[in-house]
Amino acid sequence: MVIKERFILFHLGFIINKHRIMKPIILVPTDFSELAKAGITYACNLASYINAEVQLMHIYPYPSIPAEVPSDFMHAGSEQLAKSASEKISNIIGEFSEKFPDLVFKKVLDQGPIVSNITHYAEQESISLIVMASNGAEGVRK
């Protein structure tokens, strides 16, 4: 019976998580490529169907700066990467908000290793689903 109730609530756009009812959240990591935009489109269509929030996430790398360069330059490089990523995600949210006006979007920026940051964030924020576009299993073999 619990499973059936969970399915019904999810179908209506809510899930039970840690004894509370909450709106589903779809996390969509993006690298700003055309393939990633296809993943965002898929996630938005799904979010419209299940009444979910869409969170767009970009993880930018630590800047590659030689050791002899002062740390102030590394900090400035990180700030520039964050600013650029924030602007790009804001533009994507603007674009998809026009196509999907009923959806709620949130931008998420982080720095560091991609996979561990995505999984850590998903666990911390009780993400319901992660949607990522892929061009096949080639990246898995690397």
Side-chain angles (χ1 to χ4, degrees):
M1 185 66 176
V2 173
I3 293 172
K4 186 176 180 183
E5 288 174 6
R6 186 174 289 193
F7 171 76
I8 290 169
L9 288 171
F10 186 77
H11 184 69
L12 294 175
F14 294 93
I15 59 171
I16 299 172
N17 189 349
K18 298 180 184 171
H19 307 290
R20 62 184 178 163
I21 297 176
M22 55 190 293
K23 188 173 188 173
I25 301 170
I26 300 174
L27 180 65
V28 189
T30 181
D31 62 359
F32 308 119
S33 67
E34 288 303 311
L35 186 61
K37 277 193 172 184
I40 296 168
T41 301
Y42 183 87
C44 289
N45 283 313
L46 180 60
S48 293
Y49 182 73
I50 64 170
N51 189 30
E53 176 181 312
V54 176
Q55 295 189 7
L56 298 180
M57 177 182 228
H58 179 72
I59 305 198
Y60 54 97
Y62 294 113
S64 299
I65 298 176
E68 60 272 0
V69 174
S71 63
D72 291 347
F73 286 104
M74 185 168 175
H75 183 68
S78 290
E79 285 180 355
Q80 184 59 38
L81 288 170
K83 182 179 177 186
S84 174
S86 181
E87 289 173 0
K88 288 178 182 179
I89 284 190
S90 293
N91 290 340
I92 290 172
I93 288 174
E95 175 186 338
F96 281 89
S97 291
E98 289 179 13
K99 295 177 185 176
F100 299 93
D102 295 335
L103 291 182
V104 174
F105 292 91
K106 178 181 174 183
K107 69 178 168 181
V108 180
L109 295 173
D110 206 348
Q111 184 175 27
I114 295 170
V115 174
S116 61
N117 282 8
I118 291 170
T119 55
H120 177 73
Y121 182 82
E123 289 171 4
Q124 292 296 103
E125 299 298 318
S126 299
I127 298 297
S128 310
L129 181 68
I130 299 173
V131 173
M132 286 192 295
S134 170
N135 60 359
E138 186 171 317
V140 175
R141 282 185 243 136
K142 291 180 184 177

